[in-house]
């Protein structure tokens, strides 16, 4: 009788395969892919080591391994990504949420902690909608989120509905804040911010699969940031907050430009690796 492809055997084989294909975390990747193929949580994989895979599960896993071996991000293959306290669906052509962006959300939540009445937020460049959905779910904020990408608008809209946040979050297709009216307490964005020259140094997993429209911030990395300042700040009430994620080489210049624009209490926040990553300032 041929040896069965149990979860334990499959997991070890996948780890070895991905290791040969230069996966930085072959065991973790193998766990995620096997979890997606079987419907089991990563924890439950380890309590079901003797469970054999069905032919359908093996077929799904085979295709997933092929894609991962070519460098495609796990989040596109599994179709989802965790962000703070939610899980959002991902889609090809839409920027994958990053752990460091969770700190940007935290900075906004900290500023408005204890605020009386509803807080209105404007998010520009929403991607999957992870920021907008987190603000709504964790603090009950009313959020208008924009993106120029049809793929992003569709992805974010699906996530809003899946998380039951339709009453708090509106997703709108727009170029920056074009067509947006009203007054907001918070302007928040994870815009395209990687300097064009740095784009050439990105790993294949990023440059080969994620949308350059959501990554390339122009020669100085501040091309879209300047649009936020010049077009978006007029929509923020006095005493409101501007919060933005940027490339580590751009934060000091960004702070200077915010001060020139009349904002105060401009503060740079480091990411989990200790690199400059976010800037917040009071309007």
């Amino acid at each position: 009788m041929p040896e069965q492809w149990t979860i334990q055997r499959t997991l070890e084989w996948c780890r070895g395969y991905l290791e040969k294909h230069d996966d930085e975390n072959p065991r973790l990747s193998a766990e995620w892919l096997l979890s997606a193929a079987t419907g089991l949580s990563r924890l439950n994989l380890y309590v079901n080591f003797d469970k054999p895979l069905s032919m359908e599960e093996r077929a799904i896993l085979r295709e997933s391994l092929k894609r991962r071996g070519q460098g495609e991000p796990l989040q596109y293959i599994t179709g989802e990504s965790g962000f703070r306290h939610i899980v959002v669906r991902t889609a090809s052509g839409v920027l994958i949420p990053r752990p460091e962006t969770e700190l940007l959300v935290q900075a906004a939540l900290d500023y408005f902690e204890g605020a009386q009445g509803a807080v209105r937020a404007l998010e520009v460049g929403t991607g999957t909608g992870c920021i907008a959905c987190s603000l709504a779910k964790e603090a009950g904020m009313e959020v208008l989120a924009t993106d120029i990408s049809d793929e992003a608008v569709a992805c974010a809209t699906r996530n809003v509905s899946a998380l039951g946040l339709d009453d708090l979050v509106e997703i709108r297709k727009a170029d920056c804040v074009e067509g947006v009216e009203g007054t907001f307490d918070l302007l928040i964005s994870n815009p395209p911010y990687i300097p064009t020259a740095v784009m050439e140094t990105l790993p294949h997993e990023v440059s080969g699969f994620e949308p350059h429209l959501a990554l390339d911030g122009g020669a100085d990395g501040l091309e879209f940031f300047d649009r936020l300042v010049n077009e978006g700040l007029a929509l923020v009430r006095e005493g409101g907050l501007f919060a933005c994620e940027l490339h580590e080489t751009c934060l000091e210049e960004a702070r200077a430009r915010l001060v020139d624009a009349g904002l105060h209490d401009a503060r740079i926040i480091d990411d989990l690796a200790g690199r400059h990553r976010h800037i917040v300032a009071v309007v």
Side-chain angles (χ1 to χ4, degrees):
M1 173 182 284
E3 186 178 354
Q4 286 187 320
W5 282 95
T6 63
I7 284 179
Q8 182 178 20
R9 182 187 179 200
T10 304
L11 183 62
E12 289 305 315
W13 190 92
C14 291
R15 181 198 58 76
Y17 175 87
L18 293 171
E19 193 171 55
K20 292 176 183 176
H21 285 76
D22 300 321
D23 193 300
E24 290 187 0
N25 296 289
R27 174 166 287 277
L28 181 62
S29 294
E31 290 173 352
W32 278 112
L33 295 178
L34 189 53
S35 177
T38 61
L40 296 170
S41 69
R42 287 168 55 212
L43 177 62
N44 280 333
L45 292 176
Y46 288 90
V47 296
N48 287 276
F49 260 0
D50 295 330
K51 180 180 182 294
L53 271 67
S54 68
M55 293 302 293
E56 181 182 3
E57 290 169 339
R58 288 169 62 180
I60 293 171
L61 184 60
R62 191 179 301 115
E63 177 61 25
S64 297
L65 281 169
K66 179 182 177 182
R67 292 167 64 183
R68 183 60 184 159
Q70 294 170 343
E72 186 172 350
L74 280 170
Q75 294 90 337
Y76 287 155
I77 300 171
T78 63
E80 65 180 30
S81 179
F83 185 83
R84 290 183 65 87
H85 305 295
I86 60 176
V87 174
V88 293
R89 301 295 296 174
T90 54
S92 177
V94 182
L95 190 71
I96 296 169
R98 299 299 201 275
E100 53 265 29
T101 307
E102 298 183 14
L103 299 179
L104 181 69
V105 173
Q106 188 62 53
L109 293 174
D110 289 345
Y111 183 79
F112 289 101
E113 185 176 7
Q116 300 298 310
V119 174
R120 298 193 69 223
L122 172 60
E123 187 204 355
V124 179
T126 194
T128 62
C130 61
I131 291 177
C133 289
S134 291
L135 293 172
K137 187 172 184 64
E138 294 185 48
M141 291 191 189
E142 299 172 357
V143 189
L144 171 60
T146 70
D147 206 295
I148 196 172
S149 161
D150 287 325
E151 293 88 349
V153 169
C155 183
T157 300
R158 288 194 298 269
N159 282 321
V160 169
S161 294
L163 291 165
L165 297 170
D166 296 272
D167 290 342
L168 290 174
V169 182
E170 176 189 351
I171 306 296
R172 184 184 302 178
K173 182 178 181 181
D175 181 4
C176 195
V177 298
E178 184 179 34
V180 176
E181 299 178 344
T183 303
F184 298 86
D185 304 292
L186 168 66
L187 173 58
I188 189 169
S189 182
N190 176 18
Y193 64 67
I194 299 176
T196 302
V198 178
M199 289 286 295
E200 300 176 2
T201 70
L202 294 178
H204 174 64
E205 184 170 335
V206 177
S207 63
F209 296 93
E210 297 199 65
H212 286 209
L213 179 67
L215 295 169
D216 194 339
D220 64 355
L222 294 172
E223 188 174 292
F224 203 93
F225 168 85
D226 284 339
R227 291 193 63 189
L228 291 170
V229 172
N230 295 330
E231 302 171 30
L233 287 181
L235 298 167
V236 185
R237 66 167 176 81
E238 184 177 354
L241 188 72
F242 174 86
C244 188
E245 183 169 319
L246 292 170
H247 192 264
E248 59 188 296
T249 61
C250 304
L251 270 298
E252 293 294 349
E253 175 60 26
R255 176 159 56 183
R257 295 185 189 185
L258 289 177
V259 171
D260 287 344
L263 277 70
H264 55 280
D265 296 336
R267 180 168 56 93
I268 293 172
I269 301 172
D270 290 347
D271 64 17
L272 297 171
R275 294 184 294 261
H276 288 349
R277 183 62 64 199
H278 309 114
I279 188 161
V280 296
V282 179
V283 179

